[in-house]
Amino acid sequence: MNGAVLRLENVDKFYGAVGQGVHAVRNVSMDVGQGDIIALLGSSGCGKTSTLRMIAGFEETSRGKIHLSGREVQTLPPVRRHVAMAFEGYSLYPTVNVRDNIAFALKAQRLPRAEVDAKVTEVTKMLEIDDILERMPNSLSGGQQQRASLARALIRDADLYLLDEPMGQLEPQLRTLLRGRLKHFIKERGMTAILVTHDQTEANALADEIAVMEDGVLQQFASPAELKERPANLFTGTFVGEPPMNVFPVSVESKAERLVLRFEGGQCLNYPESAFAAEVRAALIANGRVVIGVRPYAVRRSEAGAPANVLTNQWLGDQSHISASFANSTIVLVEHDRARVAIGDRIMIELSPTDLHVFDPESGMAISHGRELT
Amino acid sequence: MDQTSTLEKVLRRVAISLVILFFMFPIFWIVLMSFQTNETILRVPPSVIFEPTLSNYVALVTGKLETQAGTLEINFMSNLWNSLFLSAGSVAVGLILGIPAAYAFGRIKFRGSEDIAFTLLSFRFAPPLLVLLPLTIYFQKIGLADTYFGLIWVYQLIVLPLILWIVRGYFEDIPADIEYAYRIAGHSWFSTFRTVALPLAMPGIAAAGLLAFIFAWNNFIFALVLASADKQPVTVGALAFVTASGIQYGQVAAGIVLSILPTLALALYAQRYLVEGLSLGAVKG
Ligand SMILES: Nc1ncnc2c1ncn2[C@@H]1O[C@H](COP(=O)(O)OP(=O)(O)OP(=O)(O)O)[C@@H](O)[C@H]1O
Ligand SMILES: [Mg+2]
């Protein structure tokens, strides 16, 4: 299976009858390589947990195949899949203390006591829960339960680790600290992991590749950099990145060697035709109407641009977020110096062709991205 | 909580006291009766002042009932033993059959599972006689009439649906992920059932067992129809106190007191598990 630990092939999940019921996961295919950390990103209810549960074997796959370490497993019971999972709802055994919760699986394998203790100490120290080992689960805070549940998964020896929002309950400081330690822990041991998160910083920091899901569909599966630079469609474009990408429908006109993008409010930006590669230019003209996207930090102010009126200006301590009304809509720009503009000010906005993402207005699929425009 | 006024507190106490009085009075009165002779019981007006006697209990234990018409033989003690044996036996069989079934109904959703579960429950709606008459005939044919085995079998009609439905609810309340977490760590389905599900459902099992025991203990009609004198429980045996020379109230009361004792003991014992179950509430969060 050429190094792939996990391979999903056209996996579907229906809750209820196939073809009726809730279609939670739609035709998802992906390969996860040995030693990779994958972040699964997507809005609430998009099918992340369902995907993990099918891999672990708690939910049947309605269609498609799952390969784990070269074996086809979609019909095997969970015991035989050799994966570890940290549950979204923690699911600690309420009748035993934290130490036993974490050590349960190792004890079942009859490892020597000293070895079990050493492993428990190591993983709980890493997660900063070594001081609550004798407590019972129902006396713990949400964040403590979550880390105990994460420890229970990490301590095991498995082919694949499924971590469903393993740090969602923690405060940002601790989360940042543990993020680094977790990555070190996983990489050091060559573990393969899929991690669900709602935190894009976490996904970027931890993951080799990010899978973006929406509505049960795997929208894009790519490296963090690729996801930023070459979003496959409007959804990933606007979902990934903070603050989100600005998008505007525009009509394209070609006039005397120049390409004019006309916004809905009547504003125009015009570029020399030579700013675009021949096939992109052809596609733009052929389409007539496209959606353009531009990331907030790529929006520039320049007297040569189009006018916009400032709505808010927030200084976040290290960057300014300015929003302005533009093209019957709002445009957000990020500047790294403290911007001296006030509400109601008129600013001039310029979008460089190398920063434009162009999407098909009907399908939402990307037509071209920034640098490849030229 | 702090806003409740003193008046409200007092009223609440009074109300609770009244309820307790209402429910406890008959028991209190029965206990008093069991230490009196028939004459003192029946005097008008009744009074709580009397000379206590153990004669009723003596009569029950020795099996000799003194009436104006002479001495009657009663086998109350063997009835008591029958009750104990039949109830305990039925509950044991009911638990052995009912718990795995409850787990299956609670966890595995298969086609028609709801219907089967409901059919089992519906046995409790049917009037017992509906089942009893045909059953009597069958039992006589296959030689099960008037055997402990046959009786315990019939008692399952009362015991099994009760256990099934109560315990099933408890299994359903255990988050499935707790079991999955255990299974994924390399444990079989059965060992998960035994080490995770069973202990967590213990309060439900205790409650169901206790209720089932009480229902079985109080059953009258099954044993009346299907059992002969030597296998009858106290509920049927108590008919012996209705004698030609009148009802022996003193002995009836003593009999009731004696027959409450086993259920009371069981309730006190099972209470521990019931309370433990409540404090385990975090599971359901
Ligand atoms: N047992 C179930 N029965 C029916 N529908 C379900 C079940 N579990 C999940 N769903 C539905 O499937 C869809 C995907 O759910 P899932 O739990 O996979 O989302 P998620 O991406 O993990 O969301 P979140 O980020 O909120 O955890 C949702 O619409 C949900 O309502
Ligand atoms: Mg989820």
Side-chain angles (χ1 to χ4, degrees):
Chain A
M1 199 107 284
N2 50 37
V5 169
L6 170 72
R7 163 168 288 176
L8 301 182
E9 265 177 49
N10 308 100
V11 171
D12 267 287
K13 176 70 199 173
F14 289 92
Y15 290 102
V18 175
Q20 303 158 2
V22 182
H23 199 172
V25 175
R26 297 165 191 251
N27 199 26
V28 167
S29 301
M30 66 195 260
D31 274 17
V32 176
Q34 167 64 42
D36 280 355
I37 304 179
I38 308 299
L40 197 49
L41 210 57
S43 48
S44 182
C46 71
K48 304 181 294 291
T49 301
S50 303
T51 307
L52 295 197
R53 294 176 73 88
M54 282 191 288
I55 297 170
F58 308 146
E59 292 288 351
E60 287 179 5
T61 48
S62 308
R63 280 198 291 250
K65 290 181 181 160
I66 300 176
H67 299 269
L68 271 168
S69 307
R71 298 175 302 155
E72 203 174 298
V73 297
Q74 70 272 10
T75 52
L76 295 185
V79 211
R80 299 190 35 210
R81 300 198 182 189
H82 214 232
V83 301
M85 181 156 177
F87 290 81
E88 196 172 9
Y90 326 138
S91 303
L92 299 168
Y93 317 123
T95 44
V96 298
N97 67 16
V98 173
R99 176 190 297 281
D100 289 339
N101 257 289
I102 296 172
F104 228 117
L106 298 185
K107 283 188 178 156
Q109 289 170 19
R110 299 185 202 291
L111 289 188
R113 209 198 145 103
E115 195 178 324
V116 172
D117 284 348
K119 284 192 165 191
V120 171
T121 309
E122 184 189 20
V123 73
T124 53
K125 270 219 161 68
M126 175 200 50
L127 295 173
E128 306 268 330
I129 46 169
D130 50 327
D131 53 335
I132 54 164
L133 290 180
E134 311 310 324
R135 305 251 303 265
M136 297 301 279
N138 61 6
S139 75
L140 301 181
S141 75
Q144 289 169 329
Q145 290 186 42
Q146 191 167 44
R147 281 175 286 160
S149 156
L150 176 59
R152 181 175 65 178
L154 291 177
I155 202 169
R156 284 191 42 215
D157 182 25
D159 290 345
L160 177 65
Y161 296 79
L162 305 171
L163 312 176
D164 202 345
E165 298 183 38
M167 297 189 284
Q169 287 284 328
L170 309 179
E171 78 274 10
Q173 290 84 346
L174 183 58
R175 202 194 278 214
T176 313
L177 173 75
L178 294 191
R179 190 164 76 205
R181 289 189 190 171
L182 183 64
K183 181 160 188 173
H184 181 76
F185 187 93
I186 293 179
K187 285 295 180 191
E188 193 180 49
R189 288 163 180 71
M191 295 153 65
T192 312
I194 301 183
L195 162 132
V196 171
T197 176
H198 286 291
D199 180 344
Q200 300 196 8
T201 319
E202 191 168 293
N204 284 321
L206 281 175
D208 299 299
E209 287 190 283
I210 299 178
V212 181
M213 274 185 93
E214 176 62 10
D215 229 353
V217 178
L218 180 61
Q219 304 284 339
Q220 193 168 5
F221 183 42
S223 70
E226 169 108 0
L227 217 51
K228 269 250 155 85
E229 281 164 20
R230 303 171 47 81
N233 55 33
L234 261 177
F235 177 80
T236 34
T238 49
F239 189 77
V240 178
E242 246 300 304
M245 180 188 269
N246 298 297
V247 292
F248 304 99
V250 297
S251 58
V252 185
E253 293 154 31
S254 166
K255 265 188 214 158
E257 306 280 293
R258 292 188 79 81
L259 213 57
V260 180
L261 302 183
R262 186 179 300 280
F263 292 82
E264 282 185 347
Q267 290 99 327
C268 290
L269 287 172
N270 71 59
Y271 305 94
E273 273 194 351
S274 57
F276 300 89
E279 65 270 28
V280 176
R281 189 170 53 213
L284 284 176
I285 294 169
N287 261 307
R289 299 193 58 81
V290 293
V291 173
I292 60 159
V294 58
R295 301 217 176 262
Y297 53 75
V299 181
R300 305 258 178 283
R301 283 196 275 154
S302 150
E303 288 312 315
N309 287 317
V310 175
L311 296 171
T312 61
N313 176 12
Q314 306 172 64
W315 173 243
L316 303 185
D318 57 351
Q319 47 184 251
S320 291
H321 285 194
I322 303 167
S323 71
S325 64
F326 179 74
N328 287 353
S329 165
T330 307
I331 190 165
V332 175
L333 46 155
V334 171
E335 294 183 356
H336 290 281
D337 300 321
R338 191 161 190 161
R340 308 263 163 228
V341 295
I343 297 174
D345 282 2
R346 184 184 179 82
I347 53 175
M348 302 303 280
I349 279 171
E350 192 187 43
L351 310 174
S352 155
T354 54
D355 291 321
L356 293 186
H357 302 268
V358 182
F359 302 95
D360 184 290
E362 258 81 58
S363 66
M365 299 310 285
I367 296 172
S368 70
H369 300 285
R371 281 167 230 302
E372 70 192 49
L373 284 171
T374 53
Chain B
M1 290 298 258
D2 294 331
Q3 277 98 321
T4 43
S5 63
T6 330
L7 179 70
E8 203 178 325
K9 272 186 203 154
V10 170
L11 284 178
R12 199 173 285 175
R13 294 249 163 95
V14 169
I16 291 173
S17 308
L18 282 176
V19 170
I20 291 177
L21 201 67
F22 181 77
F23 282 109
M24 292 309 282
F25 181 76
I27 296 176
F28 169 73
W29 197 249
I30 292 268
V31 172
L32 285 189
M33 274 167 70
S34 74
F35 292 104
Q36 300 177 51
T37 60
N38 236 12
E39 291 83 66
T40 46
I41 293 170
L42 293 175
R43 83 197 140 164
V44 182
S47 155
V48 286
I49 300 148
F50 58 89
E51 204 177 309
T53 165
L54 280 176
S55 64
N56 295 321
Y57 290 97
V58 172
L60 291 182
V61 174
T62 56
K64 303 244 181 308
L65 189 58
E66 310 283 347
T67 67
Q68 280 128 355
T71 307
L72 285 175
E73 290 279 325
I74 52 163
N75 39 15
F76 179 80
M77 288 321 275
S78 92
N79 287 338
L80 196 60
W81 159 247
N82 284 339
S83 274
L84 207 59
F85 182 77
L86 286 173
S87 306
S90 313
V91 171
V93 172
L95 288 175
I96 291 169
L97 296 177
I99 293 173
Y103 185 71
F105 282 124
R107 270 287 177 263
I108 311 164
K109 294 289 165 227
F110 49 93
R111 189 187 291 268
S113 64
E114 266 331 291
D115 301 329
I116 299 173
F118 186 78
T119 309
L120 284 170
L121 182 69
S122 70
F123 289 152
R124 286 206 52 75
F125 306 150
L129 279 175
L130 184 81
V131 200
L132 260 178
L133 293 180
L135 217 54
T136 319
I137 299 167
Y138 281 134
F139 269 32
Q140 270 156 6
K141 283 235 168 81
I142 57 177
L144 278 179
D146 197 25
T147 61
Y148 285 123
F149 181 80
L151 277 172
I152 287 178
W153 190 344
V154 179
Y155 271 43
Q156 294 310 311
L157 278 178
I158 323 169
V159 167
L160 199 54
L162 199 70
I163 291 177
L164 193 72
W165 275 79
I166 295 180
V167 176
R168 173 192 170 169
Y170 274 78
F171 279 133
E172 277 174 345
D173 279 349
I174 304 172
D177 280 354
I178 292 185
E179 288 177 33
Y180 286 139
Y182 197 75
R183 287 188 65 184
I184 201 181
H187 296 272
S188 69
W189 174 90
F190 182 73
S191 105
T192 309
F193 168 69
R194 219 191 46 212
T195 27
V196 180
L198 216 48
L200 288 179
M202 218 47 205
I205 294 171
L210 179 64
L211 266 180
F213 187 89
I214 292 170
F215 273 87
W217 185 274
N218 289 341
N219 183 266
F220 174 74
I221 192 86
F222 288 157
L224 179 71
V225 175
L226 287 173
S228 64
D230 65 323
K231 303 216 167 47
Q232 277 168 350
V234 276
T235 43
V236 181
L239 286 177
F241 298 116
V242 185
T243 65
S245 53
I247 299 171
Q248 305 301 307
Y249 289 106
Q251 275 101 356
V252 173
I256 290 173
V257 171
L258 284 183
S259 62
I260 286 176
L261 288 179
T263 12
L264 193 65
L266 190 69
L268 290 177
Y269 174 75
Q271 192 182 9
R272 218 181 55 197
Y273 292 99
L274 299 177
V275 172
E276 230 168 61
L278 294 180
S279 60
L280 214 66
V283 190
K284 296 180 189 168

